[in-house]
Amino acid sequence: IKYTDVNNTLWSSNYIGYVTSKGIMTGVTPKEFKPSKNMTRAEFATVIVRYLKLTDSKVTVTKFVDIKGRWYETNANVLVSYGYINGLPDGTFGGNKAITRAEVCKILNSALGKEITEDELERYTKEVTDKYKDIESFRWYFKDVVKAVVDIK
């Protein structure tokens, strides 16, 4: 691995090597990856667009005023056009805000077409709330977290 802050003893070094070799992710500089840095909404949008090899053919208009002219404008618009991501409650994209685990679950479920029935949700609720103590079943993201973490056959 070419990054000075990623060595072979780091638990994520093989993953970092893989995603950088495939062009899915890059370092924050040519020499630093910053594996402990929180990922932003803009960075995650870029990763998903690269991983799924999405194109901007469905993009018709820029939905968010806060992305106009930003390096991630196209990637944000691509994810919105595919229906994989929404803006924030204030109507912005919030590209420089750290992406939450809940938002990651929602985006990945949408992008990968992962579904869960109400019966499955009910069946796995206790398992998920026991394992993830900070996940509450009444939150907007609960169904997406369950979909993301449970192996549904």
Side-chain angles (χ1 to χ4, degrees):
I1 296 180
K2 63 182 181 177
Y3 302 107
T4 58
D5 57 348
V6 178
N7 61 48
N8 291 338
T9 61
L10 184 68
W11 70 268
S12 57
S13 65
N14 287 337
Y15 304 110
I16 292 168
Y18 178 81
V19 295
T20 57
S21 73
K22 299 293 184 188
I24 297 167
M25 295 177 82
T26 61
V28 295
T29 72
K31 294 199 182 275
E32 289 183 303
F33 191 84
K34 299 277 188 197
S36 297
K37 177 188 163 296
N38 286 337
M39 185 175 280
T40 65
R41 290 171 54 86
E43 291 165 340
F44 192 71
T46 301
V47 167
I48 296 300
V49 167
R50 289 176 182 167
Y51 177 74
L52 295 176
K53 297 179 173 82
L54 302 175
T55 66
D56 61 0
S57 63
K58 293 177 83 173
V59 175
T60 56
V61 65
T62 297
K63 180 177 176 180
F64 307 106
V65 296
D66 65 324
I67 67 172
K68 193 78 174 144
R70 305 280 181 158
W71 66 267
Y72 54 86
E73 178 181 5
T74 299
N75 293 325
N77 283 328
V78 168
L79 285 193
V80 168
S81 69
Y82 279 83
Y84 298 159
I85 195 170
N86 296 312
L88 299 173
D90 67 1
T92 64
F93 180 74
N96 292 325
K97 291 182 185 278
I99 193 158
T100 67
R101 293 178 299 158
E103 291 169 328
V104 167
C105 289
K106 184 168 184 54
I107 294 164
L108 289 176
N109 289 335
S110 295
L112 300 175
K114 200 162 182 187
E115 296 295 331
I116 188 170
T117 66
E118 290 303 316
D119 287 343
E120 290 167 330
L121 181 63
E122 188 175 321
R123 185 175 336 132
Y124 293 113
T125 291
K126 182 170 176 15
E127 177 183 329
V128 171
T129 55
D130 284 351
K131 186 172 184 176
Y132 303 98
K133 300 294 185 196
D134 60 336
I135 305 296
E136 299 166 308
S137 61
F138 63 88
R139 299 288 183 184
W140 69 264
Y141 53 76
F142 184 73
K143 188 173 183 177
D144 282 301
V145 170
V146 174
K147 279 193 279 188
V149 302
V150 173
D151 186 20
I152 300 167
K153 305 286 185 225

